Every structure is written in C-alpha cells, then in structure tokens.
Amino acid sequence: MMALQVELVAADRSVWSGEASLVRARTAEGEIGIMSGHEPLLAILAPGDVAISGSGADGVTATVSGGFFSVDHDKVTIVAEQVEVTAGSGTR
C-alpha cells in the first residue's frame, strides 16, 4: 500500500510533514480517518485532535483550533490557525 504524504501547517509555521499510513481528525461533520487511496475531500476541521500515524513508529498528535483538511491523490494537507503538538515528534 502506498503511503500518504502529509503536511500539518499552522498559520505561522510548518508543524509536521512526512509519510503516514493513517490520518484521523474531527471535521464539522464528524470523525474521519484517511488511508492511502481515499477519494478527494475538502472538509472544515473542528477544534480537537489530529492524529497522524507515520510510516513505522514516527507520527504526531496535535490539538488544532479549527481550519481545513484537504485530501487529493494521497496528499493530505491540514491547515489550522493554531496547532499544539501533544505527542510525537514536531517538525521534521
């Protein structure tokens, strides 16, 4: 299975980018999980946690203030005004 290319960005900095096998987040319409091959999607993020399960043991969990979530061709972009990393590694 192909890996997702994920970018987590705050208004003032890049927080995390890399390959992931799974991304979970809360949208305005409920919880969502993204794996490789997911159909294109644009969603509004609700305040809460975003969990990125990296390839291998690498990954990050962050609390976001809201924003948007985009998926297209195994590329996931998460943009939030405020991001606080709560577990895992920061920018890499």
Side-chain angles (χ1 to χ4, degrees):
M1 182 182 291
M2 298 285 295
L4 296 167
Q5 297 299 316
V6 181
E7 197 169 2
L8 174 59
V9 180
D12 59 347
R13 70 192 191 286
S14 176
V15 177
W16 191 91
S17 65
E19 291 188 349
S21 57
L22 175 67
V23 178
R24 290 178 303 148
R26 177 173 294 147
T27 70
E29 297 174 357
E31 295 283 330
I32 190 164
I34 303 296
M35 295 176 74
S36 179
H38 198 283
E39 64 184 55
L41 171 77
L42 181 61
I44 296 172
L45 275 178
D49 289 342
V50 172
I52 302 168
S53 300
S55 297
D58 201 13
V60 67
T61 301
T63 301
V64 299
S65 60
F68 76 88
F69 188 93
S70 169
V71 180
D72 190 28
H73 294 97
D74 288 338
K75 180 171 173 60
V76 179
T77 304
I78 305 158
V79 179
E81 188 166 324
Q82 296 178 342
V83 179
E84 179 182 336
V85 175
T86 56
S89 60
T91 303
R92 57 175 224 179

